[in-house]
Amino acid sequence: QTKNFDKAHSYLSNCLQECEYIGRKDSIEYIWCLIDMARLTQDQNKYEETDSIHKKAYSLLKGNDTYKDAFMYLLSEYYHNNYMFLRNYSKALSIAKENSIITNQLFGNLNQKYIQSLIDQSYAYSALGQYKSAVVLSDSICILQEKLTGKDHPNYYIALRDKVFAYNEIEDYNNALMFSDELIELTKGTEHWIDY
């Protein structure tokens, strides 16, 4: 947080070396050090290095039922690195799908983390130009978000906004306008109204 990257790198490197020295490369401490190292390199805009570290952590966590929480967190971070920085949309989509499976197993489908994994998929589909798939997902996301939080909630507003964008991308302007009107009506009198 203080941007003292050299010191942070030194601490994490020492931690990784200690784990390796005592033969604990499969430990949760080693894995979290890798994840923290990936976050550190990402903060330094070293995205290829971040991707390499993510792959290492992924190989240790894949199929390990003991550390599902860590795996879910890794997949979320891994998605954002590939999607936001490397522009590897196909890989990002694959990771988001895997994250959906893990979050559904851990929390069920009426959970914000699961819904976020669907949102991640939807954004990746849009980036890949697969707009019809994004529309199908946006419909599901709105249904789940409404069940989880109700319609008078910022997370539902975001889901509905994304739905407007998805319909706009497939040039279904009637539906885009209808959902846009719904969004404006829902947010009237809130801080979000002018934006929408």
Side-chain angles (χ1 to χ4, degrees):
Q1 290 175 338
T2 60
K3 305 298 181 189
N4 193 337
F5 297 130
D6 289 342
K7 202 165 194 176
H9 190 276
S10 176
Y11 282 135
L12 287 169
S13 295
N14 287 340
C15 183
L16 290 168
Q17 286 169 12
E18 280 297 313
C19 285
E20 289 171 10
Y21 179 72
I22 62 174
R24 296 198 59 197
K25 285 181 70 173
D26 59 345
S27 70
I28 192 62
E29 292 84 8
Y30 185 82
I31 291 164
W32 276 114
C33 278
L34 283 176
I35 292 171
D36 286 341
M37 185 68 87
R39 290 177 65 199
L40 176 63
T41 56
Q42 184 170 298
D43 285 345
Q44 295 174 281
N45 303 323
K46 299 176 180 177
Y47 304 125
E48 294 292 344
E49 188 176 341
T50 303
D51 189 56
S52 176
I53 298 167
H54 278 149
K55 284 175 182 170
K56 191 172 184 179
Y58 178 90
S59 68
L60 291 170
L61 286 169
K62 175 74 173 174
N64 187 335
D65 288 341
T66 308
Y67 303 140
K68 278 191 175 179
D69 280 342
F71 193 39
M72 176 195 65
Y73 181 84
L74 171 72
L75 290 172
S76 177
E77 291 287 305
Y78 198 1
Y79 166 86
H80 286 290
N81 183 61
N82 277 273
Y83 179 80
M84 297 297 290
F85 305 117
L86 295 180
R87 305 290 189 228
N88 187 344
Y89 304 125
S90 296
K91 181 67 174 174
L93 178 59
S94 171
I95 294 165
K97 285 181 176 179
E98 194 166 3
N99 198 20
S100 291
I101 294 168
I102 297 293
T103 50
N104 193 17
Q105 287 172 351
L106 285 173
F107 309 112
N109 63 8
L110 275 184
N111 180 276
Q112 201 60 54
K113 290 179 180 178
Y114 176 73
I115 293 171
Q116 184 58 53
S117 71
L118 296 183
I119 292 169
D120 290 344
Q121 285 183 54
S122 176
Y123 291 165
Y125 275 126
S126 290
L128 287 164
Q130 298 178 28
Y131 302 124
K132 287 184 179 176
S133 295
V135 165
V136 171
L137 264 179
S138 72
D139 287 334
S140 299
I141 291 163
C142 278
I143 290 167
L144 289 172
Q145 194 67 64
E146 182 182 355
K147 286 181 181 176
L148 183 64
T149 60
K151 287 189 172 185
D152 293 321
H153 192 278
N155 287 350
Y156 184 78
Y157 305 156
I158 291 167
L160 193 55
R161 178 206 64 192
D162 290 347
K163 189 173 183 175
V164 170
F165 290 156
Y167 275 97
N168 196 53
E169 284 171 331
I170 62 168
E171 299 180 3
D172 184 345
Y173 302 123
N174 288 331
N175 272 318
L177 187 58
M178 179 179 71
F179 295 126
S180 180
D181 287 343
E182 181 186 349
L183 181 58
I184 289 168
E185 190 61 34
L186 280 172
T187 56
K188 192 175 286 183
T190 74
E191 59 186 306
H192 308 281
W193 183 64
I194 292 175
D195 291 339
Y196 295 138

